[in-house]
Amino acid sequence: MKKSVDPRSAGDEEVERTTAPGEPPRRQRILQAAERLFLHYGPAKTTIADIARASGIGVGTVYLEFGSKEQLVEQLASEKSRIVADRMRAAATKAGPSAQNRLRAALVARIVALLDFKNEGLHGCDLARCMSSKTDFELGEEPRAVLREIVRDGAAAGQLDASDPEEVIGTIELAFGCLSPPFLYRFERQVAEEKAARLAMVVVGGLNSRAGRPTRG
Amino acid sequence: MKKSVDPRSAGDEEVERTTAPGEPPRRQRILQAAERLFLHYGPAKTTIADIARASGIGVGTVYLEFGSKEQLVEQLASEKSRIVADRMRAAATKAGPSAQNRLRAALVARIVALLDFKNEGLHGCDLARCMSSKTDFELGEEPRAVLREIVRDGAAAGQLDASDPEEVIGTIELAFGCLSPPFLYRFERQVAEEKAARLAMVVVGGLNSRAGRPTRG
């Protein structure tokens, strides 16, 4: 499925397109082309020369903007991470004042966002930080910050039993490890969402503070 | 690290050792040799000829007892699974009458048993059913039966909120997926045990029935 253009034949390396008025700035154009190619062919099979050709920008200039392909991947992964965090925050806001509901909604929103990435392209997963086996179970800094805020606020309000919010987040991360890329992508979408909802219910239920627990009649 | 004996040179294939009095029966001898070799070299690099040689039993006879290497692996994996289940049951018994405590103890005992397998040999993991990516997150039938009993008894006693015990077990399985081979073996032993204890606390806490929840004051 490698595209037919041989990157080595890119003779127009330093022949740069002039930026027309209203066209996105150079850096943005490079990122857009890189994302398109990464999603389709995967970062491993995409070269800087491919990206230069697709964005109409010289190879040398691409290197001036981004030191390496890894930096491009990193920046796009950060953007994905920010999208996940935004969707978690939006879901939490929509869930109302209960910390349990906010946490559950944020956790499920994360799964749904990751499932959406998979739909963007075969290699969507690669950009959702599942390239390195080291980071399989990590939420990423921005999604983690959203959880931190919900857990801290919930604990402060006496709704969650979380004397050590970072430990709680670590446990949630571990519990949801199997609902992270690439494992997550084994499941059919509906199955994955159902599993996420159940897991969130049980995990978040386990954090209910005694003060917040309804007592029987 | 392949052992130096070339399995193809096993000229004594059909020359069977006579079983001395008190020696384990033939089937048992084959299993013991197979386990030793699997643990050391891994099932993939161990042949039936290797097992025949190590057990002093002809290749043809090994095939009579076990149709294939896969059947040998399967039987040994079942034994490992039974050991895990026994240790879960023992831990639950020791934990006393509270269903929450029993469930927590059984879940942690499973992790400790799997960590012990790893110490038995480089390829202990292969025999703990982590060969197939399909079964990564599965507890195995016997450990699942132990959990089923604890969850059903706990629900019947009003101590656990588990209207559908199978669903609860599926959720626990998912939550502990990252604490299953091969993922489990990334963690240092102490770290893994601590993670297991925290995860069990949160997950089992989420199953507390309202009836079982202590109320404030």
Side-chain angles (χ1 to χ4, degrees):
Chain A
M1 294 295 288
K2 186 87 179 78
K3 61 189 186 304
S4 55
V5 178
D6 181 352
R8 288 166 303 183
S9 70
D12 54 352
E13 283 184 7
E14 299 304 333
V15 183
E16 203 152 325
R17 258 170 60 198
T18 51
T19 303
E23 218 176 1
R26 198 168 66 180
R27 201 175 163 85
Q28 203 51 41
R29 260 167 60 204
I30 297 170
L31 279 169
Q32 282 168 359
E35 179 169 12
R36 211 165 53 239
L37 295 175
F38 287 163
L39 284 173
H40 203 74
Y41 304 104
K45 292 202 173 166
T46 300
T47 65
I48 288 279
D50 296 338
I51 296 164
R53 174 179 296 273
S55 56
I57 286 171
V59 166
T61 314
V62 174
Y63 274 113
L64 275 181
E65 291 281 354
F66 300 91
S68 64
K69 189 171 79 177
E70 286 61 43
Q71 279 187 28
L72 264 163
V73 173
E74 185 48 42
Q75 169 139 0
L76 287 166
S78 290
E79 281 179 17
K80 294 284 177 200
S81 195
R82 202 170 308 128
I83 292 169
V84 173
D86 287 347
R87 289 177 63 169
M88 290 169 73
R89 207 175 283 114
T93 303
K94 215 174 142 190
S98 148
Q100 283 88 347
N101 290 346
R102 287 165 64 80
L103 195 48
R104 264 200 298 271
L107 289 169
V108 173
R110 174 179 156 265
I111 304 300
V112 173
L114 292 174
L115 289 166
D116 284 346
F117 286 161
K118 193 195 170 195
N119 288 342
E120 285 181 12
L122 256 180
H123 293 270
C125 170
D126 300 343
L127 288 183
R129 296 190 189 276
C130 61
M131 294 182 69
S132 152
S133 64
K134 263 189 158 177
T135 55
D136 280 346
F137 306 154
E138 284 178 14
L139 286 162
E141 202 33 60
E142 296 215 33
R144 188 181 259 266
V146 176
L147 288 195
R148 190 181 293 128
E149 198 186 309
I150 298 174
V151 170
R152 283 195 178 154
D153 289 355
Q159 293 185 332
L160 293 180
D161 184 9
S163 56
D164 183 344
E166 284 307 312
E167 189 184 295
V168 166
I169 292 169
T171 301
I172 290 173
E173 209 163 40
L174 189 65
F176 277 82
C178 291
L179 292 183
S180 292
F183 316 120
L184 173 65
Y185 298 153
R186 296 180 179 177
F187 301 114
E188 298 259 357
R189 184 177 179 112
Q190 201 192 329
V191 173
E193 289 193 33
E194 283 165 8
K195 281 179 187 286
R198 279 204 293 275
L199 196 53
M201 206 173 65
V202 167
V203 168
V204 176
L207 296 175
N208 272 2
S209 81
R210 291 184 183 183
R213 280 177 191 161
T215 55
R216 198 169 242 191
Chain B
M1 294 296 287
K2 186 87 178 77
K3 60 190 182 307
S4 55
V5 178
D6 181 351
R8 289 165 303 181
S9 71
D12 55 351
E13 283 184 9
E14 300 303 333
V15 183
E16 202 152 324
R17 258 169 60 197
T18 51
T19 303
E23 219 178 2
R26 197 167 67 180
R27 202 175 162 83
Q28 204 49 41
R29 260 167 58 205
I30 297 170
L31 279 170
Q32 282 168 359
E35 180 170 10
R36 212 166 51 239
L37 295 176
F38 287 164
L39 284 173
H40 204 75
Y41 305 105
K45 291 205 175 163
T46 301
T47 65
I48 288 280
D50 296 338
I51 295 164
R53 174 179 295 273
S55 56
I57 286 170
V59 166
T61 314
V62 173
Y63 275 113
L64 276 180
E65 292 281 354
F66 300 91
S68 64
K69 189 171 80 178
E70 286 61 43
Q71 279 187 28
L72 264 163
V73 172
E74 186 46 43
Q75 170 139 359
L76 287 166
S78 291
E79 282 180 17
K80 294 284 177 202
S81 196
R82 203 169 308 128
I83 291 170
V84 173
D86 288 346
R87 290 177 63 168
M88 289 170 74
R89 208 175 283 114
T93 304
K94 215 174 142 190
S98 149
Q100 284 88 345
N101 290 346
R102 288 164 64 79
L103 195 48
R104 263 200 298 269
L107 289 169
V108 174
R110 174 180 156 266
I111 304 302
V112 174
L114 292 174
L115 290 167
D116 285 345
F117 286 161
K118 194 195 170 195
N119 289 342
E120 284 182 13
L122 255 181
H123 292 270
C125 171
D126 299 344
L127 288 183
R129 297 189 186 279
C130 62
M131 294 182 68
S132 152
S133 64
K134 262 189 159 176
T135 56
D136 279 347
F137 306 154
E138 285 179 13
L139 285 161
E141 203 31 61
E142 296 215 34
R144 188 180 259 269
V146 176
L147 287 195
R148 191 181 292 126
E149 199 186 309
I150 299 174
V151 170
R152 282 196 179 152
D153 289 355
Q159 293 185 331
L160 293 181
D161 184 10
S163 56
D164 183 344
E166 284 306 311
E167 189 184 294
V168 166
I169 292 169
T171 302
I172 290 174
E173 209 162 41
L174 189 65
F176 276 83
C178 291
L179 292 183
S180 292
F183 317 120
L184 173 64
Y185 297 153
R186 295 178 180 180
F187 300 115
E188 297 260 359
R189 183 175 181 112
Q190 200 192 329
V191 172
E193 289 194 34
E194 284 165 7
K195 281 177 187 289
R198 277 204 295 274
L199 195 53
M201 205 172 66
V202 167
V203 168
V204 176
L207 297 173
N208 272 2
S209 81
R210 291 185 182 182
R213 281 178 191 160
T215 55
R216 199 167 241 193

